[in-house]
Amino acid sequence: MSALVTINPRVLLPSANLRDLGGLATVDGRQVRTGRIFRSGHLSELNETDAAVLGGLGLKTIIDLRRPPEATDFPTPHLDGVARRWVSVSPETSEFVVAAKLLSGDEPERVDIDTTAMFEDYFRNTATNRLAAYRPVFDTAMDPNQYPVLFHCMAGKDRTGFVAAVLLRLLGVEEKVVMDDYLLTNEILGDRMALRVDQARQRIAQRSGLDPKDVDEYRLDGIRAMLYTQPSFLQASFDAVTDKFGNWEAFRRDGLGVDDARFSAFMEEMLI
């Protein structure tokens, strides 16, 4: 585990990429309150110690952003008194799902597809064409009556990363700080990601009759794009917000359908 993760108090469970959304400063000198909103990857493989940490958050609501097969194969553990809300936000036809299927078979080194461009399109479309699917998520995540609330997907980086970034930007956290928070997943899950890249390298080497060290790095670019957070991915969402709505206030009002009264209650609860 990296020193960054070790000393970062917002990272509560590195194994699940679970962290507190709070603790970050806003551009007007305030701070996002901790203990209210949490984000994570899937929670189906927690050990006893990790489960105790999760139980200690005092959650009132969990929002599951995953598709049905993911939720079935990696079930979220039951927590007494915690409401579960399942909002599948990414259809099987989305760019990320299509690319993941292309890269998950016997040819992980597919070079005939530009996965980086596909994932940028995914984030761009999430903020525009597929935004309606996320409205119920934000309705819950911005409702103080649901707190403490946790939202999660599988790795806690793409669907979860988009939701977290939008909430932080609406709260007034500087774009660079939000981007750094998005990229923090690479630090938290870095060892796991490196292992999966190496596994792909071994498969390519075995099928091609090569020594693993002789596998060209470009043949692993697609796998890396799928596993790691990259600035251009989230930036595509930010740019889409500006291009379509003009600013974050209009995005909040017209894109998410959050009126001024609801937003004021959210800000009052989340900022100190």
Side-chain angles (χ1 to χ4, degrees), residues 14 56 80 84 96 108-109 121 127 130 138 154 156 158 173 199-200 211 219 242 271:
D80 289 339
R84 297 276 300 282
F96 199 95
E109 78 280 21
D121 285 344
R130 289 194 286 268
F138 288 104
M154 284 300 294
D158 300 304
V173 177
Q199 289 170 339
D211 188 292
R219 299 176 73 177
T242 301
L271 295 180

Side-chain angles (χ1 to χ4, degrees), residues 86-248:
W86 175 47
V87 186
S88 181
V89 295
S90 180
E92 293 290 338
T93 56
S94 74
E95 299 84 356
F96 199 95
V97 177
V98 171
K101 288 179 179 178
L102 290 173
L103 293 168
S104 63
D106 294 331
E107 299 181 58
E109 78 280 21
R110 289 287 298 268
V111 295
D112 57 333
I113 56 172
D114 186 345
T115 48
T116 295
M118 291 181 73
F119 297 153
E120 289 170 355
D121 285 344
Y122 173 85
F123 275 83
R124 186 176 300 108
N125 286 324
T126 295
T128 53
N129 303 332
R130 289 194 286 268
L131 187 59
Y134 280 83
R135 279 192 173 193
V137 177
F138 288 104
D139 284 344
T140 301
M142 297 175 70
D143 180 0
N145 293 320
Q146 305 298 327
Y147 297 167
V149 62
L150 179 148
F151 56 91
H152 76 95
C153 55
M154 284 300 294
K157 66 184 184 71
D158 300 304
R159 290 162 287 190
T160 294
F162 172 76
V163 173
V166 168
L167 291 173
L168 290 173
R169 288 296 286 134
L170 290 176
L171 286 167
V173 177
E174 183 182 1
E175 183 175 302
K176 181 184 182 303
V177 176
V178 176
M179 181 66 74
D180 288 344
D181 181 65
Y182 167 70
L183 296 175
L184 182 59
T185 287
N186 293 339
E187 299 284 344
I188 299 172
L189 302 181
D191 291 345
R192 186 184 309 175
M193 294 168 169
L195 176 61
R196 292 186 63 182
V197 172
D198 187 62
Q199 289 170 339
R201 184 192 306 277
Q202 297 293 333
R203 292 198 302 274
I204 295 169
Q206 183 177 28
R207 189 174 61 253
S208 304
L210 297 172
D211 188 292
K213 71 177 184 299
D214 294 328
V215 173
D216 288 331
E217 291 301 312
Y218 78 87
R219 299 176 73 177
L220 297 165
D221 287 347
I223 292 291
R224 291 194 179 96
M226 183 175 69
L227 292 174
Y228 290 87
T229 55
Q230 297 188 25
S232 67
F233 297 168
L234 186 60
Q235 190 62 51
S237 284
F238 289 163
D239 292 344
V241 167
T242 301
D243 292 343
K244 181 168 183 176
F245 298 96
N247 55 56
W248 284 95

